[in-house]
Amino acid sequence: MVHPPEEGHACVGDGCLRTVEQARDVARGFLLVAAPDGGSAVDAVLLVVSELFANAVQHAGGVTEFRLEAGPGTVMVAVQDASTARRGPCPGTLASREGSAGSWCRTCRTMCRSTSMRRERR
């Protein structure tokens, strides 16, 4: 499930996802199909969606793409933001100088089997 940006709009997808609550609602609907048994894994995915989406909105110029994919025993959450700034290490990690920042990153790394950040040319 992909929610790419609409042309001429500062929002994501057909439903114009602008808030964390809207992103969680989309993820919840996706998970009803991808993980119908529910459980703590669903709560973990919803928390990761909240953290990634909120960070992009608050600190990186907004969300330009929100993607959810399911595989055997996995769910992939991808949030692309509008920032063109070069990113350093995830805040709050040993490689970062911002020890008090980056709770979103620590949360995601704790809840996920793997995490990554990448810069795409625009």
Side-chain angles (χ1 to χ4, degrees):
M1 170 180 282
V2 177
H3 283 269
E6 288 183 346
E7 184 139 351
H9 295 277
C11 60
V12 178
D14 298 332
C16 284
L17 299 179
R18 293 185 178 127
T19 67
V20 171
E21 292 79 15
Q22 291 169 331
R24 284 176 61 91
D25 286 345
V26 167
R28 193 174 287 112
F30 175 83
L31 292 167
L32 285 173
V33 175
D37 295 337
S40 62
V42 168
D43 293 336
V45 170
L46 294 175
L47 179 58
V48 168
V49 165
S50 296
E51 293 291 334
L52 293 176
F53 204 93
N55 185 70
V57 169
Q58 293 172 3
H59 305 293
V63 174
T64 60
E65 185 176 308
F66 175 56
R67 189 171 67 242
L68 298 165
E69 296 177 14
T74 66
V75 174
M76 190 274 301
V77 178
V79 175
Q80 183 174 327
D81 62 49
S83 177
T84 58
R86 183 172 172 89
R87 291 182 175 81
C90 191
T93 63
L94 292 176
S96 172
R97 295 181 188 174
E98 303 174 41
S100 63
S103 64
W104 66 273
C105 189
R106 284 189 301 276
T107 298
C108 291
R109 287 189 175 189
T110 300
M111 304 299 291
C112 298
R113 186 177 303 159
S114 66
T115 61
S116 66
M117 292 192 307
R118 69 175 184 228
R119 185 172 185 220
E120 295 185 6
R121 294 181 186 192
R122 295 181 195 178

